[in-house]
Amino acid sequence: MKTETTIQGLNASLSTARSNRKMIGFVPTMGNLHQGHLNLVKEARKLCDIVVVSIFVNPIQFGPNEDFDNYPRTLDQDCQLLADVGCDIVFAPSVEQMYGSQPRLTTISVSDITQDLCGLQRPGHFDGVTTVVAKLFHIVQPNFAFFGQKDYQQLAVIRQMVEDLNFPIEVIGVPIARAESGLALSSRNGYLTEAELETAPAIYQSLTEAADQLKSGVSLDAALAHIRERLTTAGFVIDYVEARSPSLKKVTDFDQDVVLFVAAKLGKTRLIDNLTVVYSSNGS
Ligand code: PAF
């Protein structure tokens, strides 16, 4: 496995693959890798000849009071994990390599679907994500790109950008990786205290309970109220608990597939999760 820190180095490493028209798979990450990221790499490994993983903590997707400075940076450990799952190239650029020293005058911004859910509490976040992902797509020029479904809204926003801007890239969403407790894996779980780690699985539990309620005929409003009540009692401060259609449209009833979304703070840590509930007209 090679590690490249410059765009020039990455181009040199990919030149033979590109001229031989090899399928390039790309997994963008901010590092501090866990099983969820490794699942993305394994999926890429199945479909592609060459797998590139980027590790870049992107400053422009963090708000002024967010955790950019404290975000865990564990490059050596990440490279070891990536070598073990068959990654070919790690691209780990500096901020200067990605953004240069001149002011950046261009932002890639997807409208509408970025204004809801996480977009409400994190203004500018998705512009930071789409701008860096567009840059990375131009730099790596992959055939396939892999994103986790835990960041459901991010995945939808990136799909929209790829469609709107004609990136010749197939975007693949990979299911959420969970701990045995049901807690969705996230680099931010590392911020949780031992006591909070015990409490955190309540998010997934409340989502599955709400899904069961919906399937047994409870209204969508009541199922969402159940999640709010359950999490507030457990000590979370709720950011949002919402239901949307799979394409992120507002829904009021469970008369189609719905995605239940939670964002909530436990102590200082903001956690997100989601669960798709499949609608069946016979209620099963
Ligand atoms: O999901 C992430 O880790 C980041 O938002 C991404 C897609 C790597 C862009 O910085």
Side-chain angles (χ1 to χ4, degrees):
M1 188 180 77
K2 281 189 183 167
T3 301
E4 300 293 354
T5 55
T6 63
I7 297 168
Q8 206 183 15
L10 182 72
N11 280 331
S13 279
L14 282 172
S15 67
T16 314
R18 282 182 184 144
S19 46
N20 291 335
R21 298 193 178 281
K22 296 281 185 203
M23 283 291 149
I24 299 174
F26 177 44
V27 181
T29 82
M30 298 205 298
N32 195 237
L33 305 181
H34 51 66
Q35 193 55 47
H37 298 109
L38 302 181
N39 290 352
L40 303 181
V41 179
K42 285 182 185 165
E43 237 10 77
R45 188 69 286 163
K46 281 191 221 155
L47 283 176
C48 305
D49 303 308
I50 301 285
V51 177
V52 180
V53 176
S54 65
I55 296 182
F56 179 63
V57 186
N58 174 35
I60 68 165
Q61 71 185 74
F62 289 80
N65 298 317
E66 294 186 352
D67 55 345
F68 173 70
D69 288 335
N70 299 331
Y71 200 86
R73 288 152 171 92
T74 51
L75 186 61
D76 291 346
Q77 178 190 310
D78 292 344
C79 287
Q80 187 55 59
L81 292 169
L82 289 172
D84 292 347
V85 287
C87 166
D88 297 299
I89 303 172
V90 177
F91 178 51
S94 62
V95 173
E96 157 103 69
Q97 181 65 203
M98 282 302 288
Y99 290 112
S101 49
Q102 303 300 320
R104 175 182 50 87
L105 302 181
T106 304
T107 295
I108 304 292
S109 186
V110 173
S111 64
D112 195 23
I113 55 172
T114 53
Q115 303 308 304
D116 197 14
L117 303 173
C118 283
L120 282 174
Q121 298 297 323
R122 305 186 72 190
H125 166 70
F126 286 114
D127 286 359
V129 171
T130 41
T131 300
V132 82
V133 171
K135 284 166 77 73
L136 288 165
F137 281 177
H138 285 304
I139 293 166
V140 178
Q141 298 164 38
N143 304 92
F144 294 88
F146 298 80
F147 293 86
Q149 287 169 353
K150 181 169 117 13
D151 296 301
Y152 191 103
Q153 188 179 11
Q154 168 174 283
L155 175 59
V157 168
I158 286 164
R159 283 192 197 285
Q160 186 73 43
M161 175 187 82
V162 162
E163 172 78 22
D164 289 348
L165 299 184
N166 301 88
F167 279 95
I169 297 172
E170 187 170 336
V171 174
I172 312 267
V174 177
I176 300 175
R178 297 186 181 280
E180 252 178 60
S181 62
L183 176 64
L185 298 189
S186 162
S187 300
R188 291 193 168 99
N189 293 352
Y191 299 150
L192 297 171
T193 64
E194 250 177 61
E196 289 168 348
L197 266 174
E198 298 266 305
T199 306
I203 296 185
Y204 182 60
Q205 286 155 12
S206 69
L207 284 168
T208 52
E209 286 159 11
D212 289 343
Q213 290 184 350
L214 288 176
K215 287 180 191 160
S216 67
V218 170
S219 73
L220 193 48
D221 275 351
L224 294 175
H226 170 77
I227 300 175
R228 289 189 193 104
E229 154 88 44
R230 175 89 151 75
L231 293 183
T232 308
T233 309
F236 289 86
V237 175
I238 290 172
D239 184 346
Y240 60 78
V241 172
E242 295 280 343
R244 295 285 181 271
S245 73
S247 60
L248 296 181
K249 303 254 178 331
K250 294 210 172 171
V251 285
T252 49
D253 296 304
F254 182 46
D255 52 7
Q256 57 174 303
D257 294 355
V258 296
V259 189
L260 304 175
F261 289 94
V262 170
K265 265 190 151 185
L266 191 54
K268 293 194 169 114
T269 309
R270 185 176 182 275
L271 300 172
I272 60 170
D273 201 350
N274 66 80
L275 185 69
T276 299
V277 193
V278 176
Y279 176 72
S280 135
S281 53
N282 64 18
S284 61

